[in-house]
Amino acid sequence: MRKPKVVVLGAGYGGLITVTRLQKQIGANEAEITLVNKNDYHYETTWLHEASAGTLHHDRARYQIKNIIDSRVNFVKDTVVSIDKEAKKVVLKNGEIEYDYLVISLGAHPETFGIKGLKEYAFGITSIDSARQLREHIEYQFATYNTEEEKKDERLTIVVGGAGFTGIEFLGELGNRVPELCKEYDVDFNKVRIICVEAAPTALPGFDPELVDYAVNHLQKKGVEFKIGTAIKECIEDGIIVAKGDDTETIKAGTVVWAAGVRGNSVVEEAGFENMRGRVKVDEYLRVPGHDEVFIIGDCSLIINEEINRPYPPTAQIAMQQGETCAKNVAVAVRGSGEMEKFSFDNKGSVASLGENDAVGVVFGKKIVGTKASFMKKVIDNRALYMVGGPSLVLKKGKFKFL
Ligand SMILES: Cc1cc2nc3c(=O)[nH]c(=O)nc-3n(C[C@H](O)[C@H](O)[C@H](O)COP(=O)(O)OP(=O)(O)OC[C@H]3O[C@@H](n4cnc5c(N)ncnc54)[C@H](O)[C@@H]3O)c2cc1C
C-alpha cells in the first residue's frame, strides 16, 4: 500500500521539533517522512548575535542534522525554490518532491521596509554564513585601521539599526568584543563608535520600561550611543542617513547592521498563500485555511494573541511549541483517525542578553536582571538543545560558563 508522504521544509526550531516528534509518533509503515534543509546542519538562530560579534565561534552554534534524526527520516540537503500547492509538490534547486502533507518551517527573511540601500550595504544577522561574514568584516575594519597613512575613524563606527531583541543582544556582545578588538589591533577605544538607531520612541518596544532602562544604561556604560525615535532613511556605501523630525544627518560608518525586523520566508508569499508580510494566519490546528494538508509553523506563521488582538511576535519559543502540536496533528492526519490538538501558546517569558553575565527579562511573570537573568538565559538556551536532542546534545553544545 502507498504510504502517505510527509514533507517538512526547514530544520530550524519548528522543523526539528516536528521531525523529532514525528519519528517517535509515526510508525515506519504509516508514512514516509522527508526533511529538507538548505544546510546539513541546524543552527541556533537565537545565538547568532554572539557568532556575529565574534564572542562565540559559529561552530558552537550549529550541529549536524543527521545526529538528531533517525533512519526513518529521509534527509534532503537542498534549497526550497517554490511550492506548487495545487500539484502538491515542492520545487528544490536540484529536484522536486511530492507531498501528501506539508509542514512549512522555513523561518524568516529580513524586513527592510523598503529603505533604500539596506539590501546592498547593510549586514544581517540571519544565518551562520551571515554571522561569519559580519564577524570577519568588523575584524577587517579594526585590522585595516592602523595600516592606513590617513586614519579613517569611520572604519571604527558600527551602526546597528533596531533596538529590538536582536539589536540589543548584538549590542551587548559588541560591548564585550570591541575592547578585545581594540587590544588585539592597537586601536584607541575612544576612536570607536557603536551607534544604535531606533525609529520607535523606546528601545525594546513592548518590554517592561524598568527593564528597558536597565538595558539602555548598561549598554551606554559599555559605550553604546542610542538614537531613539530616529529613523534610518537610507543606507549608503559608507554609512547611513537618519532623520528625526525634520532634521537629517549622515553618519559615516564602516559597518551597518540591520536588525530591525523580519517577515516570513519569501517562498511562502510566492506560493500564493494569503499572508501578511510572509506570515500566514493559520487555523487553530496550524493548518492553512483552505489547505488542510499544509501546516505552517514558526516565523512563517501568524497566531493572534486574543488578549490584545495582535499577532504574537515570532520567537523560537512559539516555534518549538508549535512543532509539538504540529507533529501530533500530522500524525492524526496521516492516520485519518483521532483528534487534532488545538494550538495555544504558553508564554513562559523572555530574556534578552546584554553580553557576558548580564541580561534582562521576565520569566514566569517575574522581572529579573543581571547575573540571575544571564543564568536564566543560558538555562533557556540549554533547554532548547535538550528539547531537540536530549541530554547528549546539551553536553556537546550547551552553555555551562555561568559566571
Ligand atoms: C539574533 C537573534 C536572537 C534571537 N533571540 C531569541 C530569543 O532569545 N528567544 C526567542 O524565542 N526567539 C529569539 N529569536 C527569534 C527566533 O530565532 C526565531 O523566531 C526562530 O528561529 C524561528 O524558528 P523557525 O523554525 O521558524 O525558523 P529557523 O529556526 O530560523 O529555521 C529555519 C530553517 O529553514 C532553513 N531554510 C530557510 N530557507 C530555506 C530554503 N529556501 N530552503 C531550505 N531551507 C531553508 C534555514 O536554513 C533554517 O535551518 C532571535 C532571533 C535572532 C536572529
Side-chain angles (χ1 to χ4, degrees):
M1 206 179 88
R2 182 186 172 277
K3 287 192 275 186
K5 293 177 196 291
V6 176
V7 175
V8 179
L9 306 179
Y13 293 101
L16 270 194
I17 288 284
T18 305
V19 165
T20 51
R21 299 327 183 243
L22 274 178
Q23 68 191 10
K24 284 198 191 109
Q25 289 169 19
I26 294 190
N29 295 324
E30 288 186 291
E32 256 178 39
I33 308 169
T34 302
L35 172 64
V36 182
N37 195 61
K38 211 182 249 185
N39 308 297
D40 54 9
Y41 57 82
H42 159 93
Y43 51 81
E44 295 292 299
T45 310
T46 60
W47 303 11
L48 287 179
H49 56 289
E50 297 168 77
S52 301
T55 48
L56 180 89
H57 192 274
H58 58 268
D59 279 340
R60 285 284 317 282
R62 64 174 170 174
Y63 53 83
Q64 289 295 311
I65 291 166
K66 69 172 173 9
N67 295 339
I68 300 299
I69 54 175
D70 71 20
S71 57
R72 211 148 7 120
V73 178
N74 170 31
F75 176 65
V76 177
K77 180 184 167 216
D78 209 335
T79 299
V80 177
V81 176
S82 62
I83 297 165
D84 183 339
K85 59 187 192 311
E86 309 311 330
K88 293 191 190 169
K89 125 185 135 175
V90 178
V91 179
L92 307 174
K93 243 187 194 164
N94 304 298
E96 286 183 358
I97 304 185
E98 291 181 348
Y99 63 83
D100 297 298
Y101 298 101
L102 183 67
V103 178
I104 304 175
S105 44
L106 288 168
H109 280 169
E111 170 62 277
T112 55
F113 304 106
I115 299 169
K116 213 171 137 193
L118 276 181
K119 278 196 186 127
E120 292 80 0
Y121 303 121
F123 291 85
I125 303 179
T126 55
S127 64
I128 291 287
D129 291 333
S130 77
R132 222 168 4 207
Q133 191 191 22
L134 176 52
R135 181 198 68 206
E136 288 288 319
H137 173 84
I138 294 173
E139 191 154 351
Y140 174 81
Q141 298 297 329
F142 278 78
T144 307
Y145 183 72
N146 277 329
T147 66
E148 290 169 324
E149 193 96 343
E150 197 185 318
K151 298 276 183 289
K152 295 193 183 103
D153 287 357
E154 62 266 28
R155 278 199 187 280
L156 307 175
T157 297
I158 303 169
V159 168
V160 177
F165 240 70
T166 304
I168 290 290
E169 291 201 316
F170 180 60
L171 290 164
E173 297 307 313
L174 285 181
N176 290 121
R177 180 67 179 144
V178 164
E180 283 175 9
L181 287 169
C182 288
K183 215 165 153 199
E184 195 171 343
Y185 294 103
D186 303 313
V187 168
D188 178 0
F189 182 73
N190 295 314
K191 297 275 181 201
V192 181
R193 285 184 78 191
I194 306 170
I195 305 167
C196 176
V197 182
E198 168 61 59
T202 172
L204 289 171
F207 223 51
D208 181 279
E210 207 184 318
L211 298 180
V212 175
D213 281 350
Y214 182 99
V216 168
N217 286 335
H218 174 88
L219 293 171
Q220 280 173 332
K221 276 189 210 133
K222 287 185 164 187
V224 177
E225 298 167 44
F226 282 92
K227 288 183 181 289
I228 300 293
T230 306
I232 295 186
K233 288 291 165 196
E234 188 178 343
C235 185
I236 49 182
E237 199 172 356
D238 56 353
I240 52 163
I241 301 169
V242 297
K244 188 168 187 169
D246 291 336
D247 299 333
T248 58
E249 182 191 357
T250 300
I251 303 171
K252 295 234 169 188
T255 309
V256 177
V257 181
W258 182 243
V262 292
R263 58 191 294 133
N265 194 303
S266 57
V267 166
V268 171
E269 283 177 84
E270 286 153 18
F273 298 116
E274 202 181 320
N275 69 86
M276 281 162 68
R277 292 203 188 126
R279 299 177 72 195
V280 175
K281 192 169 168 218
V282 288
D283 71 11
E284 55 202 351
Y285 304 109
L286 305 172
R287 300 174 304 190
V288 177
H291 282 274
D292 282 358
E293 72 288 1
V294 182
F295 295 76
I296 303 190
I297 60 173
D299 288 359
C300 297
S301 71
L302 190 140
I303 305 265
I304 299 289
N305 178 349
E306 303 289 352
E307 275 173 32
I308 53 170
N309 201 25
R310 288 184 61 178
Y312 283 111
T315 61
Q317 192 185 169
I318 198 166
M320 294 177 90
Q321 290 184 21
Q322 287 177 316
E324 302 268 5
T325 299
C326 181
K328 284 180 194 153
N329 292 349
V330 169
V332 169
V334 161
R335 290 186 188 123
S337 67
E339 241 183 68
M340 285 198 184
E341 181 179 278
K342 288 184 184 172
F343 178 74
S344 131
F345 179 45
D346 175 17
N347 190 351
K348 295 184 166 47
S350 49
V351 180
S353 126
L354 301 173
E356 206 178 16
N357 299 332
D358 215 334
V360 288
V362 180
V363 179
F364 298 119
K366 273 187 106 176
K367 286 190 240 181
I368 45 171
V369 297
T371 47
K372 209 170 163 188
S374 173
F375 173 81
M376 190 47 82
K377 179 81 181 171
K378 284 162 191 155
V379 170
I380 293 168
D381 287 348
N382 290 344
R383 183 174 178 271
L385 295 172
Y386 182 81
M387 301 258 299
V388 173
S392 62
L393 188 59
V394 180
L395 286 176
K396 235 187 254 165
K397 293 285 170 180
K399 292 181 176 170
F400 297 109
K401 201 173 150 246
F402 288 114
L403 279 174

Coordinates of all heavy atoms in Angstrom, one line a residue, residues 9-16 36-39 41-50 52 65 76 78-81 92 104-109 125-127 165-167 169-170 262 265 267 297-301 313-320 322 349-353 377 380-381, ligand 1:
L9 N 9.7 21.3 5.6 CA 10.6 22.2 5.0 C 11.3 23.1 6.1 O 10.6 23.8 6.7 CB 9.9 23.1 4.0 CG 9.1 22.4 2.9 CD1 8.5 23.4 1.9 CD2 10.0 21.4 2.1
G10 N 12.6 23.0 6.2 CA 13.3 23.8 7.2 C 13.6 23.0 8.5 O 12.7 22.4 9.1
A11 N 14.9 23.0 8.8 CA 15.3 22.3 10.1 C 15.8 23.3 11.1 O 16.8 23.2 11.7 CB 16.4 21.3 9.7
G12 N 14.9 24.3 11.3 CA 15.2 25.2 12.4 C 14.5 24.7 13.7 O 14.2 23.5 13.8
Y13 N 14.1 25.6 14.5 CA 13.5 25.2 15.8 C 12.1 24.5 15.5 O 11.9 23.4 16.1 CB 13.2 26.4 16.7 CG 14.4 27.1 17.2 CD1 14.9 28.2 16.6 CD2 15.1 26.5 18.2 CE1 16.1 28.8 17.0 CE2 16.3 27.1 18.7 CZ 16.8 28.3 18.1 OH 17.9 28.8 18.5
G14 N 11.3 25.1 14.7 CA 10.0 24.5 14.5 C 10.1 23.1 13.7 O 9.5 22.1 14.1
G15 N 10.9 23.1 12.7 CA 11.0 21.9 11.8 C 11.7 20.8 12.6 O 11.2 19.6 12.5
L16 N 12.7 21.0 13.4 CA 13.4 19.9 14.1 C 12.5 19.4 15.2 O 12.5 18.1 15.4 CB 14.7 20.4 14.6 CG 15.9 20.2 13.7 CD1 17.2 20.4 14.5 CD2 15.9 18.9 12.9
V36 N 13.7 18.6 4.5 CA 14.5 19.4 3.5 C 15.1 20.6 4.3 O 14.4 21.3 4.9 CB 13.7 19.9 2.3 CG1 14.6 20.6 1.3 CG2 12.9 18.8 1.7
N37 N 16.4 20.7 4.1 CA 17.0 21.9 4.7 C 18.2 22.3 3.8 O 18.9 21.5 3.2 CB 17.5 21.7 6.1 CG 17.8 22.9 6.9 OD1 17.0 23.8 7.1 ND2 19.1 23.1 7.3
K38 N 18.4 23.6 3.7 CA 19.5 24.2 2.9 C 20.9 23.7 3.2 O 21.7 23.5 2.4 CB 19.5 25.7 3.3 CG 19.8 26.7 2.2 CD 19.8 28.0 2.8 CE 18.7 28.8 2.2 NZ 18.6 30.2 2.7
N39 N 21.1 23.5 4.5 CA 22.4 23.0 5.0 C 22.2 21.7 5.7 O 21.1 21.3 6.1 CB 23.0 24.0 6.1 CG 23.0 25.4 5.6 OD1 23.7 25.7 4.6 ND2 22.2 26.3 6.2
Y41 N 23.4 21.1 8.5 CA 23.4 21.4 9.9 C 22.2 22.3 10.3 O 21.7 23.0 9.5 CB 24.7 22.1 10.3 CG 25.0 23.4 9.5 CD1 24.4 24.6 9.9 CD2 25.8 23.4 8.4 CE1 24.6 25.8 9.2 CE2 26.0 24.6 7.7 CZ 25.4 25.8 8.1 OH 25.6 27.0 7.4
H42 N 21.9 22.2 11.6 CA 20.9 23.2 12.2 C 21.7 24.2 12.9 O 22.8 23.9 13.5 CB 20.1 22.4 13.2 CG 19.4 23.3 14.2 ND1 18.1 23.8 14.1 CD2 19.9 23.8 15.4 CE1 17.8 24.6 15.1 NE2 18.8 24.6 15.9
Y43 N 21.3 25.5 12.9 CA 21.9 26.5 13.7 C 20.9 27.1 14.7 O 19.7 27.1 14.4 CB 22.6 27.6 12.9 CG 21.7 28.3 11.9 CD1 20.8 29.2 12.2 CD2 21.8 27.9 10.5 CE1 20.0 29.8 11.3 CE2 20.9 28.5 9.6 CZ 20.0 29.4 10.0 OH 19.2 30.0 9.0
E44 N 21.5 27.5 15.8 CA 20.7 28.1 16.9 C 20.5 29.6 16.5 O 21.4 30.4 16.7 CB 21.3 28.0 18.2 CG 21.5 26.6 18.8 CD 20.1 25.9 19.1 OE1 19.5 26.5 20.0 OE2 19.8 24.9 18.5
T45 N 19.4 29.9 15.8 CA 19.2 31.3 15.4 C 19.4 32.2 16.5 O 19.9 33.4 16.4 CB 17.8 31.4 14.7 OG1 17.7 30.4 13.8 CG2 17.7 32.7 14.0
T46 N 18.9 31.8 17.7 CA 18.9 32.7 18.9 C 20.4 32.9 19.4 O 20.5 33.7 20.4 CB 18.1 32.2 20.0 OG1 18.6 30.9 20.4 CG2 16.6 32.0 19.6
W47 N 21.4 32.3 18.9 CA 22.7 32.5 19.3 C 23.5 33.3 18.2 O 24.7 33.5 18.4 CB 23.5 31.2 19.6 CG 22.9 30.3 20.6 CD1 21.6 30.4 21.1 CD2 23.5 29.1 21.1 NE1 21.4 29.3 22.0 CE2 22.5 28.5 22.0 CE3 24.7 28.5 21.0 CZ2 22.8 27.4 22.7 CZ3 24.9 27.3 21.7 CH2 24.0 26.8 22.6
L48 N 22.9 33.7 17.1 CA 23.6 34.2 16.0 C 24.3 35.6 16.3 O 25.3 36.0 15.7 CB 22.7 34.4 14.8 CG 22.4 33.0 14.1 CD1 21.5 33.3 12.9 CD2 23.6 32.3 13.6
H49 N 23.7 36.3 17.3 CA 24.2 37.6 17.6 C 25.6 37.4 18.2 O 26.5 38.3 18.1 CB 23.3 38.4 18.6 CG 23.0 37.6 19.8 ND1 22.2 36.5 19.9 CD2 23.4 37.8 21.1 CE1 22.1 36.1 21.1 NE2 22.8 36.8 21.9
E50 N 25.8 36.3 18.9 CA 27.1 36.0 19.5 C 28.2 35.7 18.4 O 29.3 36.2 18.4 CB 27.0 34.9 20.5 CG 26.1 35.2 21.7 CD 25.8 34.0 22.5 OE1 26.7 33.6 23.3 OE2 24.7 33.5 22.4
S52 N 28.0 36.5 15.4 CA 28.2 37.7 14.5 C 29.2 38.7 15.1 O 29.9 39.3 14.4 CB 26.8 38.4 14.3 OG 25.9 37.6 13.7
I65 N 22.5 17.7 11.4 CA 21.1 17.3 11.5 C 21.0 15.7 11.6 O 20.2 15.2 12.3 CB 20.3 17.8 10.3 CG1 20.1 19.3 10.4 CG2 18.9 17.1 10.1 CD1 19.7 20.0 9.1
V76 N 17.0 15.6 3.0 CA 17.5 16.1 1.7 C 18.1 17.4 1.9 O 17.5 18.4 2.4 CB 16.3 16.2 0.7 CG1 16.7 16.9 -0.6 CG2 15.6 14.9 0.5
D78 N 19.0 20.5 0.4 CA 18.7 21.3 -0.8 C 18.0 22.6 -0.4 O 17.5 22.7 0.7 CB 17.8 20.4 -1.7 CG 18.0 20.8 -3.2 OD1 18.5 21.9 -3.5 OD2 17.8 19.9 -4.1
T79 N 17.9 23.5 -1.4 CA 17.2 24.7 -1.1 C 15.8 24.7 -1.8 O 15.6 24.3 -2.9 CB 18.0 25.9 -1.7 OG1 19.3 25.9 -1.1 CG2 17.3 27.2 -1.5
V80 N 14.8 25.1 -1.0 CA 13.4 25.1 -1.5 C 13.3 26.4 -2.4 O 13.6 27.5 -1.9 CB 12.4 25.2 -0.3 CG1 11.0 25.4 -0.9 CG2 12.5 24.1 0.6
V81 N 12.9 26.2 -3.6 CA 12.7 27.3 -4.5 C 11.3 27.8 -4.6 O 11.0 29.0 -4.5 CB 13.2 26.9 -6.0 CG1 13.0 28.0 -7.0 CG2 14.6 26.4 -5.9
L92 N 12.8 22.1 -5.6 CA 14.0 22.4 -5.0 C 15.0 22.8 -6.0 O 14.8 22.7 -7.2 CB 14.6 21.1 -4.3 CG 13.6 20.4 -3.4 CD1 14.2 19.1 -2.9 CD2 13.3 21.3 -2.2
I104 N 5.6 23.7 6.7 CA 6.5 24.7 6.3 C 7.0 25.4 7.5 O 6.3 26.0 8.3 CB 5.8 25.8 5.4 CG1 5.1 25.1 4.2 CG2 6.7 26.9 4.9 CD1 4.3 26.0 3.3
S105 N 8.4 25.3 7.7 CA 9.0 25.9 8.8 C 10.3 26.5 8.4 O 11.4 26.2 8.8 CB 9.2 24.9 9.9 OG 9.7 23.7 9.4
L106 N 10.2 27.4 7.4 CA 11.4 28.0 6.7 C 11.9 29.3 7.3 O 12.8 29.9 6.8 CB 11.1 28.2 5.2 CG 10.9 27.0 4.4 CD1 10.3 27.3 3.0 CD2 12.2 26.2 4.2
G107 N 11.4 29.7 8.5 CA 12.0 30.8 9.2 C 11.7 32.1 8.5 O 10.7 32.2 7.7
A108 N 12.5 33.1 8.8 CA 12.2 34.5 8.4 C 13.2 35.0 7.4 O 14.3 34.5 7.3 CB 12.2 35.4 9.7
H109 N 12.8 36.1 6.8 CA 13.7 36.9 6.0 C 13.7 38.3 6.6 O 12.8 38.7 7.2 CB 13.3 37.0 4.5 CG 13.6 35.8 3.7 ND1 13.1 35.5 2.5 CD2 14.5 34.8 4.0 CE1 13.6 34.4 2.0 NE2 14.4 33.9 2.9
I125 N 21.7 39.6 10.5 CA 22.1 38.5 11.5 C 21.1 37.4 11.2 O 20.1 37.3 11.9 CB 22.0 39.0 12.9 CG1 22.9 40.3 13.1 CG2 22.4 38.0 14.0 CD1 22.9 40.9 14.5
T126 N 21.4 36.6 10.2 CA 20.3 35.7 9.7 C 20.7 34.2 9.6 O 19.8 33.4 9.5 CB 19.8 36.1 8.3 OG1 21.0 36.2 7.5 CG2 19.2 37.5 8.4
S127 N 22.0 34.0 9.6 CA 22.4 32.6 9.3 C 23.9 32.4 9.8 O 24.5 33.4 10.1 CB 22.3 32.2 7.8 OG 23.2 33.1 7.1
F165 N 14.9 43.0 20.2 CA 15.6 41.9 20.8 C 17.0 41.7 20.2 O 18.0 41.6 20.8 CB 14.8 40.7 20.8 CG 14.5 40.1 22.1 CD1 13.6 40.8 23.0 CD2 15.0 39.0 22.6 CE1 13.3 40.3 24.2 CE2 14.8 38.4 23.8 CZ 13.9 39.1 24.6
T166 N 16.9 41.5 18.9 CA 18.2 41.1 18.1 C 19.2 42.2 18.2 O 20.4 42.0 18.5 CB 17.8 40.8 16.7 OG1 16.8 39.8 16.6 CG2 19.0 40.3 15.9
G167 N 18.8 43.5 18.0 CA 19.7 44.6 18.1 C 20.3 44.7 19.4 O 21.6 44.9 19.6
E169 N 20.6 42.5 21.8 CA 21.5 41.4 22.2 C 22.9 41.5 21.4 O 23.9 41.2 22.0 CB 20.8 40.0 21.8 CG 19.7 39.8 22.8 CD 19.3 38.3 22.8 OE1 19.2 37.6 21.8 OE2 19.0 37.8 23.9
F170 N 22.8 42.0 20.2 CA 24.0 42.1 19.4 C 24.9 43.2 20.0 O 26.1 43.1 20.2 CB 23.7 42.4 17.9 CG 24.9 42.6 17.1 CD1 25.8 41.6 16.9 CD2 25.1 43.8 16.4 CE1 27.0 41.8 16.1 CE2 26.2 44.0 15.6 CZ 27.1 43.0 15.4
V262 N 11.7 41.3 10.9 CA 11.7 40.2 10.0 C 10.3 40.0 9.4 O 9.3 40.5 9.9 CB 12.0 38.9 10.7 CG1 13.4 38.8 11.2 CG2 11.1 38.6 11.9
N265 N 9.4 33.8 5.4 CA 10.2 33.4 4.2 C 9.5 33.7 2.9 O 8.3 33.4 2.8 CB 10.5 31.9 4.3 CG 11.6 31.5 3.4 OD1 11.5 31.7 2.2 ND2 12.7 30.9 3.9
V267 N 9.4 32.3 0.1 CA 8.8 31.1 -0.5 C 7.3 31.0 -0.2 O 6.5 30.7 -1.0 CB 9.6 29.8 -0.1 CG1 8.8 28.6 -0.4 CG2 11.0 29.8 -0.6
I297 N 4.4 26.7 10.5 CA 4.7 27.0 11.9 C 5.9 27.9 12.0 O 6.6 28.2 10.9 CB 5.1 25.7 12.7 CG1 6.2 24.9 12.1 CG2 3.8 24.8 12.8 CD1 6.7 23.7 12.9
G298 N 6.2 28.4 13.1 CA 7.4 29.3 13.3 C 7.2 30.7 12.7 O 6.1 31.2 12.6
D299 N 8.3 31.3 12.2 CA 8.3 32.7 11.8 C 7.4 32.9 10.5 O 7.1 34.0 10.2 CB 9.7 33.1 11.5 CG 10.5 33.4 12.7 OD1 10.0 33.2 13.8 OD2 11.7 33.7 12.6
C300 N 7.1 31.8 9.8 CA 6.2 31.9 8.6 C 4.7 31.9 9.0 O 3.9 32.0 8.1 CB 6.5 30.8 7.7 SG 8.1 30.7 7.0
S301 N 4.4 31.6 10.3 CA 3.0 31.6 10.7 C 2.6 32.8 11.5 O 3.5 33.5 12.0 CB 2.8 30.3 11.5 OG 3.4 30.4 12.8
P313 N 4.7 38.0 18.6 CA 5.9 38.2 17.9 C 6.6 36.8 17.5 O 6.4 35.9 18.3 CB 6.8 39.0 18.8 CG 6.2 39.0 20.1 CD 4.8 38.5 20.0
P314 N 7.2 36.7 16.4 CA 7.8 35.4 16.1 C 9.0 35.1 17.0 O 10.0 35.9 17.0 CB 8.3 35.6 14.6 CG 8.4 37.1 14.4 CD 7.5 37.8 15.4
T315 N 9.0 34.0 17.7 CA 10.1 33.6 18.6 C 10.3 32.1 18.4 O 9.5 31.4 18.0 CB 9.7 33.9 20.0 OG1 8.6 33.1 20.4 CG2 9.5 35.4 20.3
A316 N 11.5 31.7 18.9 CA 11.9 30.3 19.0 C 10.9 29.6 19.9 O 10.5 28.4 19.7 CB 13.3 30.2 19.5
Q317 N 10.5 30.3 21.0 CA 9.7 29.6 22.0 C 8.3 29.2 21.3 O 7.9 28.0 21.5 CB 9.4 30.7 23.1 CG 8.7 30.1 24.3 CD 8.3 31.1 25.3 OE1 7.6 30.8 26.3 NE2 8.8 32.3 25.2
I318 N 7.7 30.1 20.6 CA 6.4 29.7 19.9 C 6.7 28.7 18.8 O 5.9 27.7 18.7 CB 5.7 31.0 19.5 CG1 4.2 30.7 19.3 CG2 6.2 31.6 18.2 CD1 3.3 31.9 19.1
A319 N 7.8 28.8 18.1 CA 8.0 27.9 17.0 C 8.2 26.4 17.6 O 7.7 25.5 17.0 CB 9.3 28.3 16.3
M320 N 8.8 26.3 18.7 CA 9.0 25.0 19.3 C 7.7 24.4 19.8 O 7.4 23.2 19.6 CB 10.1 25.0 20.4 CG 11.5 25.4 19.8 SD 12.7 25.5 21.1 CE 13.3 23.9 21.1
Q322 N 4.8 25.1 18.7 CA 4.0 24.8 17.5 C 4.5 23.4 16.9 O 3.7 22.6 16.5 CB 4.2 25.9 16.4 CG 3.4 27.1 16.8 CD 3.6 28.2 15.7 OE1 4.7 28.4 15.3 NE2 2.6 28.9 15.3
G349 N 7.8 33.6 29.1 CA 8.5 34.9 29.3 C 9.7 35.0 28.3 O 9.8 34.1 27.4
S350 N 10.5 36.0 28.4 CA 11.7 36.1 27.6 C 12.8 36.8 28.3 O 12.6 37.7 29.1 CB 11.3 36.8 26.3 OG 10.6 38.0 26.6
V351 N 14.0 36.5 27.8 CA 15.2 37.1 28.4 C 16.1 37.6 27.3 O 16.4 36.9 26.4 CB 16.0 36.1 29.3 CG1 17.2 36.8 29.9 CG2 15.1 35.5 30.4
A352 N 16.5 38.9 27.4 CA 17.4 39.5 26.4 C 18.8 39.6 27.0 O 18.9 40.2 28.1 CB 16.9 40.9 26.0
S353 N 19.7 39.0 26.4 CA 21.1 39.0 26.9 C 21.7 40.4 26.6 O 21.4 41.0 25.6 CB 21.9 37.8 26.3 OG 23.1 38.3 25.8
K377 N 19.1 32.9 31.0 CA 19.2 32.9 29.5 C 20.0 31.6 29.1 O 19.6 31.0 28.1 CB 20.0 34.2 29.1 CG 20.2 34.3 27.6 CD 19.0 34.8 26.9 CE 19.2 34.9 25.4 NZ 18.0 35.3 24.7
I380 N 17.7 28.7 29.4 CA 16.8 28.7 28.2 C 17.5 28.1 27.0 O 17.0 27.3 26.2 CB 16.2 30.1 28.0 CG1 15.3 30.6 29.1 CG2 15.4 30.1 26.7 CD1 15.0 32.1 29.1
D381 N 18.7 28.6 26.7 CA 19.5 28.1 25.6 C 19.7 26.6 25.7 O 19.6 25.9 24.7 CB 20.8 28.8 25.5 CG 20.7 30.3 25.0 OD1 19.6 30.7 24.6 OD2 21.7 31.0 25.1
Ligands
LIG1 C1 20.0 37.1 16.9 C2 18.6 36.6 17.3 C3 18.3 36.4 18.6 C4 17.0 35.8 18.9 N1 16.7 35.6 20.2 C5 15.6 35.0 20.5 C6 15.3 34.7 21.9 O1 16.1 35.0 22.8 N2 14.1 34.0 22.2 C7 13.3 33.6 21.2 O2 12.3 32.9 21.5 N3 13.5 33.9 19.9 C8 14.6 34.6 19.5 N4 14.9 34.9 18.2 C9 13.9 34.6 17.2 C10 14.0 33.1 16.8 O3 15.3 32.8 16.5 C11 13.1 32.8 15.6 O4 11.8 33.2 15.9 C12 13.1 31.2 15.4 O5 14.4 30.9 14.9 C13 12.0 30.8 14.4 O6 12.1 29.4 14.2 P1 11.7 28.8 12.8 O7 11.7 27.3 13.0 O8 10.5 29.4 12.2 O9 12.9 29.2 11.8 P2 14.5 29.0 12.0 O10 14.9 28.5 13.3 O11 15.1 30.3 11.6 O12 14.8 27.9 10.9 C14 14.6 28.0 9.5 C15 15.3 26.9 8.8 O13 15.0 26.9 7.4 C16 16.1 26.8 6.6 N5 15.8 27.5 5.3 C17 15.4 28.8 5.1 N6 15.1 29.0 3.8 C18 15.3 27.8 3.2 C19 15.1 27.3 1.9 N7 14.7 28.2 0.9 N8 15.4 26.0 1.6 C20 15.8 25.2 2.6 N9 16.0 25.5 3.8 C21 15.7 26.8 4.1 C22 17.2 27.6 7.4 O14 18.5 27.3 7.0 C23 16.9 27.1 8.8 O15 17.5 25.9 9.1 C24 16.1 35.5 17.9 C25 16.5 35.7 16.5 C26 17.7 36.3 16.2 C27 18.1 36.5 14.8

